[in-house]
Amino acid sequence: MGYYSLLPKSIAVEFLNHICISKTDMESVPGYPMPDDFMTNTENRLSAFRFDERANELFVLDQLLLPHRIEFIPVKNTKDAFTVIRNMQVRGAPLIAVVGALGLLVEISDLEFKSPDEFVQFVDSKVQYLLESRPTAINLRNAMEQILNTAEIEGDAEFKKESVIYAILKIYHDEKDENRRLIWNGYQEASGLRVICALHQADLVEMVYALETRPYYQELRDVGGAFAGVLQEEMP
């Protein structure tokens, strides 16, 4: 059951409108099919990272600076990906996996390999290196295993490289689609905030308390950054 299904319909619709749903004439909110264009336009929305597929450029939001500053860190290789993961400038298991995978993609895109074995050895070394950035991150481990398994398929070096790039892009797009589905159902990590936004618009919020005990006040920083990104008004 999504959070919005616990709300009165009028408030639930307001909540769904707030997170960029293009269709508002719903007969019922819970179970309504997700529109194809739901959250596909991210130009005016604060994102945890920016990835340009054509240019192979990756920028990661420095979550340690939230909510006071919004800055993006360029990630040009696996070393950069390792650093932002290890320093906890990115958080959240799925995001860590995507950043690690895309860091590898950016690095190998312009490289040439003389033999299949050279490519596999290169990918294996980078996979093992990235795994050390956050040894307990299961999503990162799963993504790295998927990439390494792809690198070991039969074929020449160029075919292996193209296959790995395709596998990484699939990890990236699958995660984007999963996030859209989770947000639609009200379960994503900021869903509580989005419900609060809708309730605030309905003048039903007296006070919001942000509590956090994890290192660097991670969730508090995320929520603060989300407020900075989606609200243009003060909230108590």
Side-chain angles (χ1 to χ4, degrees), residues 15-31:
F15 155 50
L16 293 173
N17 287 340
H18 188 76
I19 56 175
C20 308
I21 291 178
S22 61
K23 299 179 181 179
T24 57
D25 53 339
M26 306 178 185
E27 293 183 359
S28 62
V29 175

Side-chain angles (χ1 to χ4, degrees), residues 47-50 58-63 71-75 81 84 89-90 95 99:
S47 299
F49 69 96
R50 298 170 180 168
L58 175 63
F59 296 87
V60 173
L61 177 66
D62 188 344
Q63 296 186 19
E71 293 185 10
F72 284 83
I73 304 169
V75 175
V84 295
Q89 289 166 298
V90 297
L95 178 59
V99 169

